[in-house]
């Protein structure tokens, strides 16, 4: 009987909730204390242009220790009203007051932003609520909203630091994935992320993040994640499993990440209790910069492409547009300087030496086997230039967009207005070889057996087999590109292409330079040297063709890779890939 009674008592005790683990009480850092300097909170309203017509409230917390003579750190909170309430679960103004007073985080201005609402015209019509559109969507639209609208507006009144190490961003649920996405898109602006019960699920494509994290070149981010094992499990996925997957991917990719798990639902009970410690972890070692992590797995595909000793290096800047790039016979790189209406050559020291000709605007250019430079010149059509600058028209009155020249002098070019891909043989005979709705750029495979065609929608790269007569066959939407919400509709992101000797295809996209293996899979994404600005040109160059050159905005950058490019007139048969 005593054994049964003891067993019964043990079962009862086991069935009781553990007060320390389950109740998640708010600690002393979430309470007001006498003598602690109190910051001030000011309310504002904003009408956005990036999210047209939407209105929202936002609040700015300024700590008592703030001085306009020194730039203050910044922390942005989505669903801001819930974070700033003194009787809520987060109580950020109280927590900031306590931690700043104890020097456990720097002097930080808090910006608390509510999601936008498009107000209906009358009382019998419903408003449009932008929360999921702004928070769950991938892409840089919300980051642009913060950086172009809210932060500049707050900076009119306060001295805000522009250093990304001095900036943090946070949110819960959809606001949590939003916070991560902003830093992911713009690591030049935010380095610290705090996400509670983040919605890394398929509400608007956020479930892609674990894959992107594993494939994309690391970024200088520090990330704190929290979720409970009783979080939502519904049509968009499991929040609990999704947060574990994101945490696992970040750890695998070498990031400074901490994932705190609990047993609560989709709420801030645990998040509020651990928030002071989360902030301490997020700001620890400040002002030591947050470094770009190094991959820690020998099976990491990025290690086979990216040279850890080389980052992007600026070669030239200050012209209207980088436009088209082309590699010459000795690996020298030529570019279209639209400011001067010239084709120029980059020297070994990065200085531009004039290529003797004058052109108004080039969309694409490439050298041929005999040393001539072929280009799509608006509005003349396709032109050929000798080294002395003599220009000869090849196809007149054609809205040529991009072109590729074979080793025997054949030319493939896209004709956007006619929705076609044209081919002209070495004798000048021209024919339409296939039709696509919106063809953009073209490129030859390393061995010239295939023609790659990118369309302006950016969802895939088409692969065609080149037939002996120059016609195209065996069309497949072969190369599957990673794409996110708003990048599918960006018309300012041209898809430039290049190939290496292993048969990998390099494609410029909104996400960066996506590297795809021969079977058509994205294995690596190389970060753009200037986040938020489209890459308008790309080519392998240098004496050994191991430098990747890109034109971004008004600048040209290069980066040494562990791969080697292929000259357009010197085809190479790549090895059999791992299938």
């Amino acid at each position: 009987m005593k054994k049964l009674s003891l067993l019964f008592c043990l079962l009862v005790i086991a069935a009781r909730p553990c007060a320390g683990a389950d109740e998640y009480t708010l600690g002393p850092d979430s309470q007001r204390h006498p003598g602690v300097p109190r910051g001030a909170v000011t309310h504002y309203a904003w009408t956005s242009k990036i999210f047209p017509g939407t209105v929202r409230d936002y609040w700015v917390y300024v700590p008592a220790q703030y001085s306009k003579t020194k730039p203050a750190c910044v922390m942005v909170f989505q669903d801001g009203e819930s974070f700033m309430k003194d009787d809520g679960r987060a109580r950020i103004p109280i927590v900031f007051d306590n931690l700043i007073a104890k020097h456990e985080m720097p002097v930080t201005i808090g910006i608390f932003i509510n999601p936008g609402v498009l107000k209906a015209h009358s009382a019998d019509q419903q408003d449009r609520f932008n929360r999921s559109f702004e928070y769950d969507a991938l892409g840089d639209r919300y980051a642009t909203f913060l950086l172009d609208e809210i932060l500049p507006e707050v900076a009119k009144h306060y001295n805000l630091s522009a250093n990304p190490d001095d900036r943090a961003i946070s949110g819960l649920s959809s606001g949590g994935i939003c916070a991560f996405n902003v830093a992911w898109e713009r690591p030049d602006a935010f380095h610290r992320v705090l996400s509670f019960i983040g919605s890394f699920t398929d509400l608007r494509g956020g479930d892609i993040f674990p894959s992107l994290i594993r494939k994309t070149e690391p970024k200088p981010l520090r990330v704190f994640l929290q979720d409970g094992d009783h979080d939502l499990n519904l049509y968009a996925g499991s929040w609990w499993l999704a947060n574990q997957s994101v945490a696992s991917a970040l750890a695998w990719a070498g990031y400074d990440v901490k994932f705190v798990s609990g047993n609560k639902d989709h709420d801030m009970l645990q998040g509020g209790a651990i928030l002071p410690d989360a902030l301490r972890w997020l700001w620890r070692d400040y002002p030591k910069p947050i470094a770009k992590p190094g991959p820690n797995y020998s099976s990491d595909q990025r290690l086979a492409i990216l040279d850890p000793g080389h980052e992007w290096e600026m070669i030239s800047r200050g012209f209207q547009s980088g436009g088209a790039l082309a590699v010459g016979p000795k690996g020298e790189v030529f570019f279209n300087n639209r400011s001067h209406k010239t084709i120029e050559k980059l020297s070994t020291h990065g200085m531009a030496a004039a290529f003797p000709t004058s052109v108004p605007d080039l969309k694409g250019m490439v050298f041929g086997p005999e040393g001539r430079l072929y280009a799509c010149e608006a509005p003349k059509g396709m032109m050929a230039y000798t080294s002395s600058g003599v220009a000869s028209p090849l196809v007149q009155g054609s809205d040529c967009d991009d072109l590729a020249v074979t080793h025997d002098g054949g030319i493939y070019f896209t004709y956007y207005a006619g929705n076609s891909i044209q081919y002209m043989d070495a004798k000048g005979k021209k024919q339409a070889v296939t039709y696509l709705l919106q063809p953009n750029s073209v490129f030859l495979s390393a061995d010239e057996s295939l023609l790659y065609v990118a369309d302006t929608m950016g969802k895939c790269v088409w692969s065609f087999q080149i037939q002996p007569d120059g016609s195209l066959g065996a069309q497949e939407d072969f190369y599957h590109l990673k794409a996110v919400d708003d990048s599918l509709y960006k018309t300012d992101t041209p898809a430039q292409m290049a190939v290496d000797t292993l048969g990998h295809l390099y494609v410029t996209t909104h996400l960066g330079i996506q590297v795809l293996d021969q079977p058509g899979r994205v294995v690596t994404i190389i970060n753009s040297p200037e986040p938020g600005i489209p890459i308008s040109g790309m080519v392998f160059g240098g004496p050994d063709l191991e430098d990747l050159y890109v034109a971004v905005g008004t600048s040209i950058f290069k980066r040494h890779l562990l791969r080697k490019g292929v000259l357009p007139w010197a085809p190479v048969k790549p090895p059999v890939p791992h299938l």
Side-chain angles (χ1 to χ4, degrees):
M1 181 64 69
K2 290 183 179 180
K3 290 182 179 180
L4 289 175
S5 299
L6 179 59
L7 177 59
F8 176 77
C9 290
L10 290 174
L11 289 173
V12 170
I13 292 172
R16 292 175 181 170
C18 176
D22 293 347
E23 292 182 1
Y24 298 118
T25 56
L26 296 179
D29 290 317
S30 301
Q31 314 294 336
R32 289 285 182 197
H33 298 285
V36 174
R38 294 182 61 164
V41 176
T42 307
H43 171 255
Y44 299 90
W46 184 256
T47 300
S48 176
K49 294 181 180 179
I50 291 175
F51 298 106
T54 59
V55 295
R56 72 196 67 223
D57 294 312
Y58 73 96
W59 296 259
V60 177
Y61 159 89
V62 181
Q65 296 85 347
Y66 166 75
S67 170
K68 63 181 180 180
T69 61
K70 182 179 180 181
C73 292
V74 182
M75 191 162 185
V76 178
F77 294 86
Q78 279 53 246
D79 292 311
E81 190 170 5
S82 65
F83 277 95
M84 55 148 312
K85 292 181 177 179
D86 276 5
D87 59 351
R89 287 296 300 184
R91 306 184 181 186
I92 289 295
I94 297 176
V95 175
F96 271 29
D97 284 345
N98 290 325
L99 296 190
I100 292 173
K102 293 191 289 185
H103 304 288
E104 293 178 344
M105 66 176 287
V107 174
T108 304
I109 288 178
I111 304 175
F112 306 85
I113 310 172
N114 278 356
V117 177
L118 181 67
K119 292 295 185 180
H121 290 301
S122 65
D124 59 348
Q125 295 176 323
Q126 184 59 272
D127 299 338
R128 187 180 73 191
F129 300 96
N130 255 39
R131 184 173 184 270
S132 182
F133 180 71
E134 294 177 7
Y135 289 1
D136 294 312
L138 275 65
D140 64 357
R141 185 157 31 203
Y142 190 82
T144 302
F145 160 73
L146 292 180
L147 297 174
D148 289 1
E149 292 190 4
I150 298 298
L151 287 178
E153 182 66 18
V154 177
K156 293 178 181 179
H157 309 284
Y158 305 102
N159 188 358
L160 305 181
S161 174
N163 184 341
D165 286 315
D166 295 349
R167 289 179 173 181
I169 186 164
S170 180
L172 77 158
S173 188
S174 294
I177 188 176
C178 177
F180 180 82
N181 181 58
V182 167
W184 181 260
E185 286 284 340
R186 297 300 303 269
D188 59 325
F190 291 92
H191 280 180
R192 303 172 196 267
V193 179
L194 177 55
S195 171
F196 299 105
I197 55 174
S199 300
F200 294 97
T201 53
D202 193 16
L203 291 172
R204 296 187 71 97
D207 56 327
I208 197 177
F209 264 128
S211 173
L212 290 181
I213 292 165
R214 291 175 184 271
K215 294 181 179 182
T216 304
E217 175 187 357
K219 307 181 182 189
L221 302 179
R222 176 178 291 171
V223 183
F224 187 102
L225 302 170
Q226 173 273 328
D227 198 27
D229 61 9
H230 284 66
D231 203 346
L232 297 176
N233 186 11
L234 41 82
Y235 69 95
S238 164
W239 269 243
W240 170 240
L241 293 178
N243 275 273
Q244 291 182 80
S245 186
V246 169
S248 174
L250 287 168
W252 181 89
Y255 283 88
D256 185 8
V257 59
K258 186 171 185 178
F259 176 44
V260 176
S261 60
N263 59 1
K264 285 300 181 183
D265 304 320
H266 197 69
D267 53 45
M268 269 292 285
L269 292 178
Q270 182 186 17
I274 67 172
L275 193 147
D277 285 337
L279 288 170
R280 290 187 183 93
W281 183 87
L282 201 66
W283 291 102
R284 76 187 193 280
D285 301 328
Y286 180 84
K288 181 180 179 181
I290 295 177
K292 174 181 172 180
N296 57 5
Y297 268 61
S298 59
S299 61
D300 193 334
Q301 289 285 334
R302 298 170 299 181
L303 293 175
I305 297 173
L306 299 173
D307 186 342
H310 292 82
E311 298 286 340
W312 287 109
E313 174 187 356
M314 182 180 291
I315 301 300
S316 181
R317 73 178 311 168
F319 40 86
Q320 181 181 353
S321 174
L325 297 180
V327 58
K330 298 180 181 179
E332 63 269 50
V333 174
F334 293 77
F335 71 98
N336 173 212
N337 186 341
R338 292 174 182 169
S339 298
H340 299 155
K341 298 182 178 180
T342 57
I343 301 172
E344 301 181 359
K345 182 173 66 173
L346 296 174
S347 74
T348 54
H349 300 290
M351 300 300 291
F355 184 82
T357 191
S358 178
V359 295
D361 185 12
L362 297 183
K363 296 182 180 180
M365 61 184 189
V366 63
F367 278 91
E370 78 293 346
R372 289 201 298 175
L373 180 66
Y374 297 87
C376 291
E377 180 181 328
K380 295 180 180 179
M382 184 166 28
M383 307 290 290
Y385 304 92
T386 65
S387 58
S388 60
V390 177
S392 303
L394 297 179
V395 180
Q396 293 181 303
S398 173
D399 189 14
C400 171
D401 287 280
D402 195 26
L403 71 168
V405 181
T406 66
H407 72 281
D408 57 3
I411 304 174
Y412 292 93
F413 61 97
T414 56
Y415 182 31
Y416 183 86
N419 305 120
S420 67
I421 301 164
Q422 307 276 331
Y423 174 69
M424 186 171 67
D425 63 21
K427 297 180 180 179
K429 182 181 178 181
K430 184 171 72 74
Q431 61 175 317
V433 288
T434 193
Y435 292 87
L436 282 176
L437 182 60
Q438 293 177 316
N440 184 8
S441 56
V442 291
F443 211 88
L444 293 163
S445 64
D447 58 4
E448 292 192 7
S449 65
L450 303 169
L451 182 72
Y452 304 137
V453 183
D455 63 40
T456 57
M457 293 303 294
K459 294 181 179 180
C460 70
V461 172
W462 297 85
S463 176
F464 297 85
Q465 186 179 51
I466 297 176
Q467 307 304 313
D469 63 353
S471 63
L472 301 178
Q475 171 184 347
E476 288 184 335
D477 48 347
F478 191 78
Y479 289 94
H480 172 73
L481 296 172
K482 297 289 184 183
V484 298
D485 240 21
D486 61 350
S487 68
L488 296 177
Y489 309 103
K490 287 182 179 289
T491 58
D492 59 348
T493 308
Q496 303 298 311
M497 293 185 285
V499 295
D500 64 27
T501 56
L502 296 185
H504 282 53
L505 176 65
Y506 297 66
V507 185
T508 63
T509 69
H510 169 73
L511 294 177
I513 301 169
Q514 300 191 35
V515 185
L516 302 99
D517 61 9
Q518 284 190 59
R521 305 164 299 200
V522 176
V523 295
T524 299
I525 302 175
I526 304 174
N527 293 329
S528 170
E530 294 195 359
I533 302 178
I535 298 174
S536 57
M538 177 175 64
V539 68
F540 273 100
D544 299 319
L545 298 179
E546 293 178 349
D547 295 324
L548 191 66
Y549 288 78
V550 295
V552 186
T554 62
S555 305
I556 291 179
F557 297 82
K558 79 170 182 178
R559 186 169 185 176
H560 186 268
L561 300 182
L562 301 178
R563 293 294 177 86
K564 185 175 182 178
V566 179
L567 292 172
W569 55 88
V572 175
K573 182 180 179 180
V576 176
H578 294 288
L579 302 178

